[in-house]
Amino acid sequence: MNETAMIELALAYSRRLDHCTTSGGGGIDELMTLFTDDATRIVDGQMVQRGADEIRAGFLRRGQLRDQ
């Protein structure tokens, strides 16, 4: 992946994550297109989420915590 593609991916992730977080889960399907079924996501260097289902749930929890 070249530098331009990596920047575009990072921007897409940032926009989709922001939308998902600020809308209480809106756009979660678009955000999840950036992850494979067997992806691993490490949050803040500590929490590990494995697989698309666990990652999706983590993003949705993030939005819910923001709204509390």
Side-chain angles (χ1 to χ4, degrees):
M1 181 178 289
N2 65 37
E3 185 177 351
T4 300
M6 286 191 298
I7 291 170
E8 289 173 359
L9 178 61
L11 290 172
Y13 173 76
S14 181
R15 284 190 300 267
R16 292 174 189 188
L17 177 59
D18 184 56
H19 175 66
C20 183
T21 301
T22 60
S23 67
I28 186 69
D29 292 333
E30 290 81 12
L31 176 58
M32 290 307 300
T33 65
L34 301 174
F35 294 87
T36 60
D37 288 339
D38 63 346
T40 298
R41 179 172 179 253
I42 301 171
V43 182
D44 297 327
Q46 298 173 28
M47 180 175 46
V48 177
Q49 299 169 341
R50 290 189 174 82
D53 291 338
E54 197 170 312
I55 293 169
R56 175 184 291 269
F59 284 131
L60 293 175
R61 267 193 312 278
R62 174 187 172 116
Q64 291 169 349
L65 290 174
R66 181 189 173 279
D67 292 339
Q68 291 181 355

